[in-house]
Amino acid sequence: MTHDVINQAPPLIGHDVSSDRALLDGLDREGADWAIGELRQIGLLAGSAKAQEWARLANDNPPVLRTHDRYGHRIDEVEFHPAWHDLMAVAVENGMHASPWTSARPGAHVARAAKFFTWSQVEAGHGCPISMTYAAVAALRHSPDLRAEWEPQLASRTYDFGLRPAHDKRGVLAGMAMTEKQGGSDVRANTTRAERLGDGTFALTGHKWFNSAPMCDVFLVLAQAPGGLSCFLLPRVLPDGSRNAMRLLRLKDKLGNRSNASAEVEYDGAVAHLVGEEGRGIRTIIEMVNMTRLDCVIGSAAGMRYGLTQAIHHTTHRKAFGKALIDQPLMRNVLADLALESEAATTLMMRLAGATDRAVRGDAAEGLFRRTALAASKYWICKRAPVHAAEALECLGGNGYVEESQMPRLFRDSPLNGIWEGSGNVAALDLVRALAKEPEGLEAFFAEVALAGDRRVGDAAERARKTLASAGEGDARRLAEELTLVLQASLLVRHAPAAVADAFCASRLAGEWGRAFGTLPTGLDLEAIVEQAS
């Protein structure tokens, strides 16, 4: 007997991924409790062996670019493993893309956020085209005619993969191309040019360094028109069935997000339609960017929840020195700290989704709050994801460093949301600009924070105001951090168990915290915190 397998955690399958108290409480609080049935179905599928196998196969078999067919014709197609299409079909059929835009039901964007959070824990890469499609509709609202033409298909719950004219498809998906190699986040330095054609369309010529989800049917693109930088809608296939002059040069070989395709592209007179006003491209596409920034927060929160779940599962079943790891005092401190970070991120995510839903429906106050809160949260939540993933991985010891655990995939994916839609500096500086341009947004933010009626939160809010009063561009990151932490604390004081709120305030606000997870101060109810997360 040389190979008895003992003291190993069993596979984590057959559970409901949506069974998360912070998520479900937020769903009810933000007006989408009507979606609980659908969410539970997605959660059970997400916890199944079948879905987890789809995720593994989609990442072990990344997309492949086919530039030409066997006869030499240019086709520019991206091939995916069937498991990718299985993941995509679930997301589309459950309305995680653009379907909230066509729903009159209050809370539709909240329900979508909860579904996206739950399903993203299966596999993060396929969330890119889902998120792009969700966000594209917001930008199209600047052009009613284009919206009327494209929104029904973008919101369709039918996943119909393949390059064909949009009028021949039951549903379409959207991507985006802003970044150029010489400009990066400085999109005003873009050189792709747009020349007006006689029929009112434009011909785009240039190069994009990153094209998100190049296998999609239609893209929002920034280009320099005669009137200045403008936003355009560029279909992959023209109405007559011919391929638009959008050439896929290569797929990016990325650290993570490997199941999803990202490409360099060239436009050689590609036909595109103006979205919004000529010369106001940034203003137009920022609607899309803000929606995808919300998804950056959701995706990072989902990654934290996945890592926490795996860590709790492993330490519950793994024994060392005579008892389960989860019962070891130092491990319990680590798990409780990870749980605080996860619950705070999830609660904040649901509040932002609720603000988005109400702002879309005309609530100006919620729109002001969201502008400040989302800019700060995009920076901080996405910054916390990689360190959270690293600590959760370490809870599994050597097992967590092995690909079969899927924790390395979580770790590789974790930095992406911090880069996507503006890296840390861009997000923090966007907060500073928002506060300068719309100071009323800051007051809406602090009014929300004050709802906690808690001295600890109030003191931290005053410290944040002092930081704000003397902050320059070089202080933007610290400001974003302080604002996000005080908002998270306010939300937890109001909505989380006292053990969770007290520990968060003691560590994140009062400074009784070390510089790594697992350094919570003494005197806290760590067992209750871990139980809340289990």
Side-chain angles (χ1 to χ4, degrees), residues 23 26-27 30-32 34-35 95-117 133-138 141 147 151 157 287 291 294-295 298 349-362 370:
L23 177 70
L27 191 75
E30 300 297 338
W34 49 266
M96 296 176 214
H97 58 316
S99 61
W101 295 106
T102 57
S103 173
R105 194 166 197 173
H109 291 269
V110 177
R112 181 259 172 193
K115 294 176 186 179
F116 191 59
F117 171 88
T133 304
Y134 172 63
V137 177
R141 296 195 163 200
R147 174 190 174 188
E151 187 175 281
R157 291 198 179 202
E287 299 289 344
M291 289 297 170
L294 171 63
D295 279 3
I298 297 173
M349 170 206 90
M350 293 300 284
R351 177 66 183 94
L352 292 173
T356 297
D357 192 84
R358 289 183 280 276
V360 165
R361 298 175 194 282
R370 177 182 179 272

Side-chain angles (χ1 to χ4, degrees), residues 58 80-88 123 125-126 129 159 215 259-260:
F80 290 86
H81 189 277
W84 164 271
H85 300 300
D86 291 326
L87 293 164
M88 289 290 295
E123 201 282 320
H126 78 289
Y159 177 60
M215 62 287 184
S259 68
N260 177 50

Side-chain angles (χ1 to χ4, degrees), residues 315-519:
T315 56
T316 298
H317 294 278
R318 180 80 163 178
K319 292 182 178 180
F321 311 111
K323 57 183 176 181
L325 285 175
I326 198 170
D327 295 326
Q328 305 279 1
L330 190 53
M331 179 58 79
R332 185 178 298 168
N333 195 310
V334 171
L335 293 172
D337 218 351
L338 291 172
L340 289 178
E341 201 73 36
S342 174
E343 180 153 352
T346 301
T347 305
L348 175 58
M349 170 206 90
M350 293 300 284
R351 177 66 183 94
L352 292 173
T356 297
D357 192 84
R358 289 183 280 276
V360 165
R361 298 175 194 282
D363 189 324
E366 284 288 87
L368 288 171
F369 162 75
R370 177 182 179 272
R371 180 69 180 94
T372 299
L374 181 57
S377 302
K378 198 279 181 187
Y379 167 79
W380 181 240
I381 302 302
C382 296
K383 272 281 174 279
R384 299 303 291 159
V387 291
H388 192 281
E391 195 68 59
L393 181 155
E394 190 176 324
C395 289
L396 278 65
N399 288 319
Y401 206 68
V402 174
E403 289 290 344
E404 290 172 325
S405 74
Q406 307 304 332
M407 295 300 278
R409 188 178 80 214
L410 170 68
F411 185 65
R412 287 193 299 270
D413 285 346
S414 63
L416 176 59
N417 286 313
I419 298 170
W420 195 27
E421 299 300 14
S423 57
N425 284 355
V426 173
L429 291 171
D430 183 54
L431 170 65
V432 173
R433 285 190 293 269
L435 296 178
K437 186 176 180 180
E438 295 179 316
E440 59 271 27
L442 182 65
E443 295 312 311
F445 177 91
F446 280 118
E448 171 77 18
V449 168
L451 293 175
D454 183 276
R455 178 185 55 79
R456 299 163 299 180
V457 176
D459 290 346
E462 283 306 308
R463 290 195 296 272
R465 282 187 181 275
K466 290 179 181 178
T467 298
L468 178 64
S470 60
E473 283 196 2
D475 304 301
R477 284 183 174 225
R478 184 159 61 92
L479 177 61
E481 175 179 334
E482 289 187 24
L483 290 178
T484 307
L485 288 174
V486 76
L487 176 57
Q488 287 180 306
S490 174
L491 290 168
L492 292 178
V493 165
R494 285 180 276 158
H495 307 306
V500 173
D502 290 345
F504 190 90
C505 290
S507 55
R508 274 67 169 176
L509 296 188
E512 299 177 30
W513 197 30
R515 291 175 176 82
F517 286 108
T519 56

Side-chain angles (χ1 to χ4, degrees), residues 8 31 57 174 198 204 228 243 247 251 364 392 427 452 478 520:
Q8 291 283 342
L57 290 171
L204 271 54
R243 302 291 171 91
R247 315 300 187 202
L251 301 185
R478 184 159 61 92
L520 292 173

Side-chain angles (χ1 to χ4, degrees), residues 109-337:
H109 291 269
V110 177
R112 181 259 172 193
K115 294 176 186 179
F116 191 59
F117 171 88
T118 300
W119 190 240
S120 292
Q121 292 178 57
V122 177
E123 201 282 320
H126 78 289
C128 175
I130 298 300
S131 181
M132 294 280 95
T133 304
Y134 172 63
V137 177
L140 287 181
R141 296 195 163 200
H142 286 272
S143 292
D145 290 345
L146 289 175
R147 174 190 174 188
E149 179 182 354
W150 287 93
E151 187 175 281
Q153 283 182 292
L154 288 166
S156 167
R157 291 198 179 202
T158 300
Y159 177 60
D160 191 357
F161 183 80
L163 294 181
R164 302 189 303 281
H167 57 72
D168 288 342
K169 301 191 70 173
R170 295 170 295 164
V172 299
L173 296 175
M176 180 172 65
M178 289 198 297
T179 307
E180 297 185 8
K181 55 184 178 292
Q182 78 286 343
S185 297
D186 183 9
V187 294
R188 292 189 184 278
N190 282 4
T191 60
T192 297
R193 65 184 187 276
E195 299 175 354
R196 189 180 297 275
L197 300 175
D199 60 358
T201 62
F202 286 75
L204 271 54
T205 303
H207 180 274
K208 293 292 179 180
W209 193 234
F210 278 96
N211 187 120
S212 297
M215 62 287 184
C216 288
D217 302 283
V218 66
F219 301 89
L220 289 186
V221 180
L222 287 180
Q224 298 286 359
L229 190 65
S230 304
C231 181
F232 295 92
L233 183 78
L234 189 153
R236 284 283 274 118
V237 181
L238 299 175
D240 64 2
S242 62
R243 302 291 171 91
N244 206 353
M246 172 182 165
R247 315 300 187 202
L248 306 189
L249 303 184
R250 61 170 176 168
L251 301 185
K252 297 289 192 179
D253 187 7
K254 298 169 292 185
L255 168 69
N257 192 247
R258 298 189 66 83
S259 68
N260 177 50
S262 305
E264 290 176 39
V265 302
E266 280 187 351
Y267 308 120
D268 185 13
V271 176
H273 306 267
L274 180 66
V275 182
E277 297 178 47
E278 188 173 341
R280 305 296 295 273
I282 294 178
R283 179 186 176 189
T284 301
I285 210 167
I286 202 67
E287 299 289 344
M288 184 178 194
V289 169
N290 280 331
M291 289 297 170
T292 44
R293 283 180 175 173
L294 171 63
D295 279 3
C296 289
V297 176
I298 297 173
S300 293
M304 289 187 208
R305 179 66 228 195
Y306 177 83
L308 173 64
T309 300
Q310 294 295 328
I312 290 177
H313 176 73
H314 178 85
T315 56
T316 298
H317 294 278
R318 180 80 163 178
K319 292 182 178 180
F321 311 111
K323 57 183 176 181
L325 285 175
I326 198 170
D327 295 326
Q328 305 279 1
L330 190 53
M331 179 58 79
R332 185 178 298 168
N333 195 310
V334 171
L335 293 172
D337 218 351

